Amino acid sequence: MTIAIIDYGMGNLHSVAKALEHVAEDERVTITRDPRAIKGATRLILPGQGAIRDCMSELEHTELTGLVKEMLADGNKPLLGICVGQQMLMDKSDENGGVWCLGYMPGRVRHFEDTMRDTDGNRLKVPHMGWNRVHQHHMHPLWEGIPTGERFYFVHSYYVQAEDDAHVMGYVDYGTVRAHVATGHDATFAVQFHPEKSAGAGLKLLSNFIHWSP
């Protein structure tokens, strides 16, 4: 098995690679932008970090946009999106006046309002940073062995709102906002949180991804 982390210049590539190597000692983990290596891999990771406009621009600059869309459409190998890698799968982000994304799953990427408060009226931090409980919305093989309400690590100012309930695998309630922090369709699963920074629960999710046969 070869797990290819798609390197288009954005994302926490080496931390993700080390976490995968920890749970997949017998598998080959590679960071690559070589189309042949990406096509030949048995599993794919789509990372992302920072501004989504920059992520989409760099994906285009490295001439990988078409290939990623092709891999998603084929649906013949598991793909895990992480952080902005989840947001990129939606139709459009509200960031910087609007950024068109990959359009794999219908939905929008919204901004947490700076004036957000919790149910007691306390001001909430934006970005949403730190540990939060993820509630599982639909059963999925990547949740195996992970209880609903488990804590994962987040750093984000924008969040996904998927249009199709069938694509919502998990959510976080942050103030009055319900953010769809785990989404999935066919052989693709994507999360807003960072599994590589989420201790045992994150490693378990990565291990489930490695053994997933959609």
Side-chain angles (χ1 to χ4, degrees), residues 32-199:
T32 182
R33 62 180 59 183
D34 182 348
R36 292 172 298 179
I38 294 170
K39 286 184 177 181
T42 48
R43 297 175 191 275
L44 302 173
I45 304 287
L46 179 65
Q49 191 167 312
I52 197 168
R53 182 181 295 278
D54 294 339
C55 288
M56 292 301 302
S57 176
E58 288 302 309
L59 194 67
E60 187 67 28
H61 179 72
T62 52
E63 299 182 348
L64 291 174
T65 303
L67 177 58
V68 171
K69 286 185 174 181
E70 178 186 330
M71 296 293 100
L72 289 167
D74 286 349
N76 60 1
K77 64 183 66 178
L79 181 147
L80 176 65
I82 297 176
C83 194
V84 179
Q86 184 210 20
Q87 297 178 14
M88 292 168 70
L89 299 176
M90 297 296 113
D91 290 321
K92 190 175 183 180
S93 171
D94 291 344
E95 185 180 324
N96 294 326
V99 177
W100 289 105
C101 303
L102 295 171
Y104 176 67
M105 284 181 272
R108 296 290 288 266
V109 181
R110 308 287 190 184
H111 185 255
F112 285 119
E113 297 295 335
D114 294 331
T115 56
M116 287 180 57
R117 297 183 181 276
D118 63 18
T119 54
D120 296 324
N122 300 311
R123 189 82 171 264
L124 291 172
K125 294 180 181 179
V126 178
H128 170 215
M129 183 182 298
W131 297 83
N132 208 333
R133 297 187 184 278
V134 174
H135 303 281
Q136 297 168 21
H137 187 59
H138 288 304
M139 294 180 63
H140 193 280
L142 266 69
W143 292 137
E144 184 179 350
I146 302 172
T148 188
E150 184 61 87
R151 291 157 60 88
F152 291 87
Y153 187 79
F154 291 84
V155 182
H156 63 126
S157 298
Y158 289 81
Y159 64 95
V160 164
Q161 282 196 326
E163 289 184 11
D164 191 338
D165 179 78
H167 295 159
V168 180
M169 299 299 147
Y171 65 88
V172 159
D173 288 326
Y174 195 58
T176 59
V177 169
R178 176 157 291 185
H180 298 157
V181 299
T183 47
H185 178 58
D186 290 340
T188 296
F189 192 90
V191 294
Q192 177 65 65
F193 53 81
H194 288 270
E196 77 281 6
K197 297 180 180 180
S198 296

